[in-house]
Amino acid sequence: MSVSQLSPADKAKIIAEALPYIQRFWDKTVVIKYGGNAMTDPVLKAAFARDVVLLKLVGLNPVVVHGGGPQIEDMLKRVGKKGEFVQGMRVTDAETMAVVEMVLGGQVNKEIVNLINQAGGKAVGLTGKDGGFIRARKLMMASKEKAGDLIDIGQVGDIIGIDPSLIAFLDSGDFIPVIAPIGVGEAGETYNINADVVAGKLAEVLKAEKLVLLTNTPGVLDKNGKLLTGLTPKKIDELVADGTLSGGMLPKIGSALDAARSGVKAVHIIDGRVEHALLLEIMTDQGVGTLIKSA
Ligand SMILES: Nc1ncnc2c1ncn2[C@@H]1O[C@H](COP(=O)(O)OP(=O)(O)O)[C@@H](O)[C@H]1O
Ligand SMILES: CC(=O)N[C@@H](CCC(=O)OP(=O)(O)O)C(=O)O
């Protein structure tokens, strides 16, 4: 049944159901990670932007962090390069960094800003270079094959600190921050940071009530492709060890767990391909996906 087929009384009931959620989340920060894989369909993108505006209008402080892995991949292909990943992180040489900054900080960021503004919000696009608010240093990745070995994956950033004041300033106005996962080093150098890592750290620093990671799967799946609705640290360790979690899910789950352990009350990985997934998760008891528990 579509919404237009509902009786006026049923429509009113659905809207009234949101009241306890609006009361609970009023003036609370919700960090939303919008994954590059979830932002493919124009109808879904417009619905996402409307959801973000609605959350802002009913009194929450939504903060959007976006990815753009597939969009970077498309651009790399056009310049004759192929992306390479180590444990879910893109190997980033200087040429790749230039493409990443252009695609994330320019194309993808401004598209989301524009969509939110079209839906009636006031979005402001930022990278970590703005106000120097995401400080990073070069990440050296621990090898899985040889304990103690470190792998150099180029200009990939490890977050040193996030200054929450710029975001708080935007929140306190009517603005909705839209953040591209790019950090800045001490000497002004540019770092590519996985968007899940930025979202997790930001949720922690902003003392967010919720972190919602929108991706292109129903949530975390087990070996048979069945949805795991709740995950403890012990279960996550098992899933990593037996290879059930791989690729982009590795930094995602690591960041989700770090955020949950650092006091973010609810961390969810949900299916961004479901229309209005964000509203369903935050404003109803129909929350779908995987909840990450801290213990
Ligand atoms: N156990 C798992 N459950 C769900 N997805 C998984 C799992 N292991 C690996 N993945 C992969 O992780 C991907 C999501 O991460 P990623 O590609 O980085 O997307 P996003 O753009 O949302 O960050 C899924 O599309 C899937 O291919
Ligand atoms: C270091 C690293 O891997 N950076 C990511 C940043 C974008 C991202 O995280 O995009 P998704 O959320 O769509 O995967 C990259 O270059 O692809």
Side-chain angles (χ1 to χ4, degrees), residues 33 35-37 196 215-217 219-221 244-246 248-249 252:
K33 154 58 193 335
N37 280 304
D196 295 312
T215 184
N216 66 338
T217 74
V220 179
L221 308 175
T244 307
L245 300 182
S246 61
M249 195 46 80
K252 198 182 300 298

Side-chain angles (χ1 to χ4, degrees), residues 47-283:
F48 168 81
R50 284 173 63 92
D51 288 1
V52 171
V53 173
L54 193 144
L55 293 175
K56 183 74 177 175
L57 286 176
V58 297
L60 283 77
N61 297 319
V63 176
V64 178
V65 177
H66 63 82
Q71 294 78 356
I72 295 168
E73 220 45 49
D74 283 350
M75 190 59 81
L76 285 176
K77 216 180 277 165
R78 280 205 239 164
V79 298
K81 278 180 88 87
K82 201 181 164 333
E84 187 193 335
F85 287 83
V86 176
Q87 293 166 43
M89 301 284 194
R90 184 185 302 280
V91 178
T92 308
D93 61 14
E95 204 181 6
T96 303
M97 187 66 250
V99 170
V100 168
E101 189 170 25
M102 181 174 75
V103 173
L104 294 184
Q107 177 197 324
V108 177
N109 188 272
K110 295 310 166 219
E111 186 190 1
I112 299 170
V113 165
N114 204 30
L115 281 169
I116 293 175
N117 292 347
Q118 287 296 311
K122 288 204 289 178
V124 175
L126 306 165
T127 78
K129 282 186 173 173
D130 292 282
F133 92 101
I134 304 176
R135 287 178 298 111
R137 66 178 162 222
K138 187 177 164 71
L139 174 83
M140 293 303 287
M141 190 155 239
S143 165
K144 284 252 181 315
E145 278 81 45
K146 200 159 163 231
D149 268 15
L150 294 174
I151 311 169
D152 184 342
I153 51 171
Q155 279 172 254
V156 173
D158 189 12
I159 299 174
I160 301 172
I162 295 185
D163 173 3
S165 61
L166 178 57
I167 305 302
F169 175 70
L170 293 171
D171 276 346
S172 66
D174 291 335
F175 300 106
I176 299 169
V178 175
I179 298 159
I182 287 167
V184 62
E186 213 153 75
E189 68 276 27
T190 311
Y191 286 112
N192 178 16
I193 311 177
N194 181 280
D196 295 312
V197 174
V198 171
K201 192 73 191 164
L202 197 61
E204 178 191 330
V205 170
L206 295 173
K207 300 187 173 47
E209 194 71 12
K210 242 186 210 286
L211 168 63
V212 184
L213 303 161
L214 287 157
T215 184
N216 66 338
T217 74
V220 179
L221 308 175
D222 71 10
K223 270 230 161 341
N224 304 314
K226 203 169 144 279
L227 176 68
L228 297 159
T229 53
L231 279 183
T232 57
K234 188 168 166 279
K235 182 76 187 167
I236 291 171
D237 283 346
E238 284 170 25
L239 294 171
V240 172
D242 74 7
T244 307
L245 300 182
S246 61
M249 195 46 80
L250 290 171
K252 198 182 300 298
I253 208 82
S255 306
L257 188 55
D258 284 350
R261 282 178 161 156
S262 313
V264 180
K265 290 196 192 95
V267 182
H268 301 264
I269 297 175
I270 67 168
D271 196 341
R273 301 165 305 174
V274 173
E275 202 169 344
H276 298 298
L278 197 53
L279 275 196
L280 282 171
E281 172 45 49
I282 299 174
M283 290 290 160

